[in-house]
Amino acid sequence: MDIKAMLKKSGSVIGLVALFVVISCLNSSFIDPSNLKNLLRQVSINALISFGMTFVILTGGIDLSVGSILALSSALMGSFIKGGMDPVFGIVLACLIGAVLGSVNGLVITYGKVAPFIATLATMTIFRGLTLVYTNGNPISNLSDSDAFLEFGQGYVAGLPVPAIMMLIMFFILWFVLHKTPLGRKTYAVGGNEKVSFIAGIKINRIKIFAYTITGFLCGMAGAILTSRLNSAQ
């Protein structure tokens, strides 16, 4: 086995472990189980977004609008729940709103022939502006006392935070899609060489739209977790 190649491939993991060890030595409370659980809860939000971004980057794109998608889907979900919508349905709706917003990015990039950086920079500003106008700059608080809603961001199952469990579930689903399905192989192919992929009969536009849509979906899910955790959309 080529140790140099293995170290290069695992560089980020080694760096994370080294950082974990250093911080643990500097502060022993860092490895306290309650702190680690809290870290898992916090990391789950960024992790979900990064899972989707992985698909986008593999197609050779970038998405700058993920934070704005999270904000807009959270604000809409929060206002609907505040208006009497069932909180569980509100969470599902947040994911669907995120998926729709993500697909808008994909459509602009593929059929509008706009560079991903420019397209998502524009939608980032648009979605953020819509959120500001919709909420009038104020947080939407005290959304629900529903246990099902609050558990989604604050609860535990078998000692693990629910957001961390959702993160792991989505990780394994998307890992399977990326490594074990034709869709995953086509995603790699599009990012590797679009011309060859086109000649091979791959529907490039569909793959790119899927990548941005799944990113939006996961932004909506991350937004729902954050809103549930705070019981507030802001």
Side-chain angles (χ1 to χ4, degrees), residues 118-198:
I118 301 300
T120 58
L121 181 63
T123 56
M124 175 188 74
T125 306
I126 293 169
F127 297 155
R128 182 181 295 171
L130 288 172
T131 307
L132 184 63
V133 171
Y134 186 78
T135 62
N136 199 29
N138 298 314
I140 306 172
S141 303
N142 300 319
L143 303 180
S144 174
D145 295 327
S146 167
D147 290 338
F149 176 70
L150 296 177
E151 287 288 315
F152 191 65
Q154 304 175 20
Y156 292 86
V157 173
L160 285 176
V162 171
I165 293 173
M166 295 301 301
M167 174 186 71
L168 293 173
I169 290 173
M170 294 309 302
F171 172 80
F172 286 113
I173 290 174
L174 295 173
W175 180 90
F176 180 83
V177 170
L178 200 56
H179 293 276
K180 302 295 182 181
T181 67
L183 180 59
R185 290 191 288 272
K186 290 175 182 178
T187 301
Y188 275 107
V190 170
N193 193 314
E194 277 197 28
K195 291 183 178 179
V196 173
S197 300
F198 178 77

Side-chain angles (χ1 to χ4, degrees), residues 42-112:
Q42 293 175 340
V43 165
S44 63
I45 295 169
N46 285 339
L48 286 169
I49 296 173
S50 70
F51 295 161
M53 188 72 81
T54 299
F55 282 79
V56 170
I57 292 174
L58 284 175
T59 62
I62 190 70
D63 191 345
L64 304 178
S65 68
V66 288
S68 299
I69 292 176
L70 182 152
L72 183 53
S73 60
S74 298
L76 292 171
M77 179 190 74
S79 66
F80 293 150
I81 292 176
K82 190 84 171 179
M85 177 181 285
D86 180 80
V88 175
F89 185 70
I91 292 172
V92 175
L93 185 62
C95 296
L96 294 178
I97 291 171
V100 170
L101 297 176
S103 67
V104 169
N105 284 334
L107 291 169
V108 170
I109 290 165
T110 54
Y111 292 104

